[in-house]
Amino acid sequence: MSERITITRPDDWHLHVRDGDFLKAVLPDTVKRFARAIIMPNLKPPVISVAQAKAYYDRIMASLPAGASFTPLMTLYLTENSRVEEMELAKQSGFVQAVKYYPAGATTNSDSGVRQWGSVEAVLEAMEQLGLPLLVHGEVTDPHVDVFDRERVFIEEELIPLVLKYPKLKVVLEHITTASAVKFVLTAGSNVAATVTAHHLLLNRNALFQGGIRPHHYCLPVLKRETHRQALLEAVISGNPKFFLGTDSAPHAQNVKENACGCAGIYTAHAAIELYAEAFESVGALDKLEGFASFYGADFYGLARNKDQITIEKQQVKVPLTLPYGSQSLVPMRSGEYLIWSLVA
Ligand code: DOR
Ligand code: ZN
């Protein structure tokens, strides 16, 4: 029999599932693998209130495959008009777990994001007191800053001052891509953690230009050079609980990716744990996968660890060229190519 590993069922601490018909297209992929996922609020319009988060939660639950056991962990989108009362309601709700910070203009549907930290001071103070985590898209938006430096500059100019100003605020630096981010997280207190995607562990920026321009490898923060990928790998296999799984699986229809101005996002939900296993195995550290995928995120959020398990086996499977996406299609990571690991049903 082929090699198998069984781990506690993982959770995805950063996921985009979109809305409407798209929910039914993408949720089954996540639900097969994960027990819970932190659901990003960058819909159009964004999810800014607890009432909107509840309605979105209900739409997700109504779109789950029959018999699925899955808990969406909802987030609110931080705007300059967010109010302290809404944070209190979020904490009391039991279904909103965190608040997402997007710098205005940084990425998909981020126009309602924050321009000046000064305008959210009271809200951040309230979150610090309530123990409501701030999930940070860590990039500056200044067009004069080189796109490959935007995460490092954000950390230096905005994030270090922020964590000094709110020393007890729980912060997750999302989808980290650089050695600077790893160093920042390691140096910060235990209230600061990071999620790491499978694509940033498996690909460096050469993947954007492999024999031509590759829109399906375009995401934000953009892929970085190999030394940074190595730093991320080292962080996730260190067993340090500050680094945990967040796919940032971000579906977009094929035609908006294969476009003169293609949008950012890589779809990995169809093979998420398989891709992470491949990354961990590439550095001989499969034994570190379970902590990263199934324990540290729950511990950081103060939630119980899952009790059931999943099994993956060493078995080559070909990824379809496209997957159905509402009335459209999407191109998944590894489209037309092989995965090394596969999920045992
Ligand atoms: O690649 C990305 N896609 N990065 C983000 O920050 C947003 C996401 C999306 O929503 O498509
Ligand atoms: Zn995201």
Side-chain angles (χ1 to χ4, degrees), residues 26 62 99 112 190 192 206 215 229 258 265 279 282 291 316 319:
V26 298
V99 176
S112 315
S190 60
V192 176
N206 286 347
R229 189 183 76 89
E258 297 172 8
S282 73
Q316 287 221 340
V319 177

Side-chain angles (χ1 to χ4, degrees), residues 14 16 40 100 102 175 248:
H14 184 129
H16 300 266
M40 286 295 124
K100 178 71 190 267
Y102 287 105
H175 42 52
D248 198 16

Side-chain angles (χ1 to χ4, degrees), residues 183-229:
K183 188 170 158 219
F184 164 76
V185 172
L186 288 174
T187 319
S190 60
N191 54 315
V192 176
T195 55
V196 189
T197 76
H199 46 278
H200 289 107
L201 290 173
L202 288 167
L203 302 173
N204 66 33
R205 65 191 190 179
N206 286 347
L208 284 163
F209 307 107
Q210 220 170 28
I213 193 148
R214 299 293 191 133
H216 300 293
H217 287 160
Y218 175 56
C219 62
L220 286 171
V222 72
L223 297 171
K224 302 298 190 299
R225 63 166 67 240
E226 177 63 9
T227 48
H228 293 297
R229 189 183 76 89

Side-chain angles (χ1 to χ4, degrees), residues 16 18 42 102 107-108 137 175 219-221 248 250 252 264-266:
H16 300 266
R18 313 305 186 202
N42 62 332
Y102 287 105
T107 186
T108 310
H137 183 109
H175 42 52
C219 62
L220 286 171
D248 198 16
H252 288 282
I266 301 182

Side-chain angles (χ1 to χ4, degrees), residues 26 66 107 111 141 251 261:
V26 298
T107 186
D111 301 348
T141 53
C261 188

